[in-house]
Structure formats: structure tokens, C-alpha cells
Amino acid sequence: MIIALLFGIATAVIGRAKGSSFFIWMIVGTVLPILGLVTVILYRPETEEPERRCPRCGKVHKLYVQVCTRCGAELYLPDPSEVRHPAATRSR
């Protein structure tokens, strides 16, 4: 029980450092101790996901979004020059 709780705390701290919910990762790490810890280590923060603008209204979306939430336009795969990589722009 104590080992599972320690795994939960470790998982939650790493998850929070990557910008996610402390309590959700705490539950995952406690219920699935080793798997939860490995998952949070491999977890990719959403702030690093590539982004693009909607050609109709200009709202910025993650690259995996298929339909604009503002205007309803279908978003097709953009030209690579139009894709914004937040992690690359933040490090400059």
C-alpha cells in the first residue's frame, strides 16, 4: 500500500511538471504503479504539439484537430511551412 502511494506521488509530481493534473496522475500512479510511472515519463505535453491556423477564421488549433471549433471549417493537412512548432519557438 505504501509503495503504491509512493509511486502515485512520484507519478503525480512528474505529471504536474509536464503541465498535467497532479490528482489524475496520482490516481493513475497509485492504481497502476509501474505502468503509471512509465506512462508519465513517456507522456508528451500538449504544449509541444504542432499547431496551425484555420484558413477561414484564423483560430489556432493543434495539428490533430479535424474541424475548426469556431467556424466549423474542415481542416486538411497544411503545408509544412504553415505548421507552427511551439517547442521550437519557445526555445529561441
Side-chain angles (χ1 to χ4, degrees), residues 16-37:
R16 183 66 195 138
K18 290 190 173 190
S20 290
S21 171
F22 180 88
F23 295 107
I24 291 175
W25 281 111
M26 175 87 168
I27 293 168
V28 171
T30 304
V31 174
L32 305 167
I34 295 172
L35 184 63
L37 188 60

Side-chain angles (χ1 to χ4, degrees), residues 53 70 73 89 91:
R53 287 195 179 279
R70 183 183 293 163
T89 56
S91 64

